[in-house]
């Protein structure tokens, strides 16, 4: 994954895969429509707050804590059991993501460590550091072969190089690759899915595609279902052009569904119902 010399940007090349260009264009149109809603002129902060809450709920659902939105909204104690801790972790990550945008482009590995520390403070010394040889990984949704720690370190370094170098790849492509790599590698002993989806969110916001954070892709990932999510991820890890394109398109559809959710919030605010 070296980015030195005159070698082409590998992420930009992914944008030329079949289905990907169409997905990128569809996401751009959807996001533009959401930002053009009249409610966004004066109440974008309210929309963003609601998007963060709904995105956290969706991410937690994919990690096995599928709570109703109103349950997430009303609860204040998130340490009672594993599902509550998962929801609490998703909420903390949603709040933290916006604070890490400036650091991401300079030091993505530092951001990932911080995200895991926020998501899994109960992990003690293992919180915020990549897993060591022999350490188990608790990620029940992802049943793919687990890469060894040395491979994880190499691929994380390569991913960080690509992020720091930037390039011409569409934001959707970069976000999908960051998300997919983190799920494939599962660098931490727990909460990898939550961290991966938070990192995707950071890329979408920091790239300028969704600067006000109103398009929660996590909502769309959850709406498409855990089976669809796992199947798309398996396609990504296959390394085939079709599989990678399918994963990017899945992520694109998730953003579109997140836009639909926030558009509904805008409509409710406009009617005075929210």
């Amino acid at each position: 994954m070296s980015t030195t010399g005159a070698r082409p940007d590998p992420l930009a090349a992914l944008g030329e895969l079949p289905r990907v260009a169409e997905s990128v264009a569809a996401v751009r149109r959807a996001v533009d429509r959401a930002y053009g809603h009249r409610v966004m002129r004066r109440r974008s902060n309210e929309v963003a707050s609601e998007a963060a809450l709904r995105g956290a709920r969706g991410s937690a659902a994919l990690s096995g804590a599928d709570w109703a939105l109103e349950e997430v909204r009303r609860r204040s104690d998130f340490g009672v059991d594993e599902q509550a801790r998962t929801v609490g972790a998703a909420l903390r990550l949603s709040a933290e993501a916006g604070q890490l945008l400036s650091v991401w482009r300079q030091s993505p590995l530092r951001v990932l460590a911080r995200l895991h520390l926020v998501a899994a403070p109960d992990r003690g010394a293992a919180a915020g550091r990549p897993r060591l040889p022999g350490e188990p990984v608790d990620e029940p949704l992802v049943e793919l072969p687990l890469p060894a720690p040395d491979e994880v370190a190499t691929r994380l370094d390569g991913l960080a190089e690509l992020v720091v170098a930037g390039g011409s790849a569409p934001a959707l492509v970069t976000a999908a690759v960051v998300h997919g790599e983190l799920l494939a590698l599962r660098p931490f002993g727990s909460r990898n899915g939550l961290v991966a989806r938070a990192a995707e969110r950071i890329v979408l916001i920091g790239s300028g595609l969704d600067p006000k954070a109103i398009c929660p892709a996590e909502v769309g990932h959850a709406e498409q279902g855990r089976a669809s999510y796992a199947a798309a991820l398996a396609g990504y890890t296959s390394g085939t052009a079709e599989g990678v394109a399918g994963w990017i398109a899945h992520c694109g559809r998730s953003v579109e569904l997140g836009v639909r959710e926030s558009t509904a919030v805008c409509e409710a605010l406009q009617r005075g119902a929210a």
Side-chain angles (χ1 to χ4, degrees):
M1 283 192 175
S2 173
T3 59
T4 59
R7 296 178 63 182
D9 177 1
L11 296 188
L14 295 181
E16 300 174 3
L17 292 175
R19 298 176 59 194
V20 173
E22 293 86 345
S23 184
V24 168
V27 165
R28 180 75 269 175
R29 289 193 298 270
V31 172
D32 286 348
R33 284 196 300 272
Y35 274 80
H37 197 286
R38 61 187 302 176
V39 166
M40 288 295 296
R41 298 174 193 169
R42 295 185 180 180
R43 305 183 72 176
S44 62
N45 288 341
E46 293 173 68
V47 179
S49 294
E50 191 65 20
L53 180 69
R54 295 179 185 221
R57 193 220 72 82
S59 190
L62 285 170
S63 287
D66 192 1
W67 288 11
L69 180 63
E70 290 310 313
E71 177 71 4
V72 177
R73 198 189 303 278
R74 75 170 186 83
R75 286 284 290 268
S76 59
D77 182 2
F78 295 101
V80 177
D81 54 36
E82 180 56 25
Q83 284 203 4
R85 287 191 289 272
T86 297
V87 174
L91 288 167
R92 292 194 301 273
L93 285 173
S94 187
E96 187 77 9
Q99 310 301 314
L100 298 171
L101 297 174
S102 62
V103 183
W104 174 256
R105 286 300 299 270
Q106 283 73 45
S107 183
L109 297 185
R110 180 179 160 196
V111 169
L112 294 176
R114 174 60 185 170
L115 289 174
H116 188 253
L117 186 63
V118 168
D122 57 326
R123 297 286 293 182
R129 68 151 173 81
R131 55 187 167 84
L132 301 175
E135 289 186 336
V137 173
D138 180 15
E139 198 65 49
L141 175 61
V142 183
E143 299 179 352
L144 300 167
L146 190 67
D150 56 348
E151 180 184 349
V152 170
T154 298
R155 287 173 63 177
L156 281 179
D157 285 343
L159 183 64
E161 287 181 19
L162 289 174
V163 170
V164 172
S168 58
L172 172 64
V173 171
T174 303
V177 168
V178 167
H179 185 170
E181 279 293 291
L182 292 175
L183 278 178
L185 296 175
R186 282 146 288 162
F188 304 108
S190 65
R191 309 288 193 217
N192 289 284
L194 294 177
V195 169
R197 291 184 288 275
E200 178 188 51
R201 182 175 180 83
I202 287 172
V203 174
L204 293 172
I205 298 169
S207 66
L209 176 65
D210 180 24
K212 294 185 178 180
I214 64 164
C215 306
E218 306 97 320
V219 167
H221 287 303
E223 186 170 334
Q224 293 187 83
R226 298 179 78 187
S228 177
Y229 186 74
L233 176 64
Y236 174 81
T237 60
S238 74
T240 65
E242 181 180 2
V244 173
W247 169 251
I248 296 171
H250 179 92
C251 292
R253 180 57 181 160
S254 295
V255 175
E256 291 183 72
L257 291 170
V259 168
R260 186 177 71 181
E261 185 89 352
S262 288
T263 300
V265 170
C266 288
E267 294 294 330
L269 288 170
Q270 186 168 285
R271 295 191 306 270

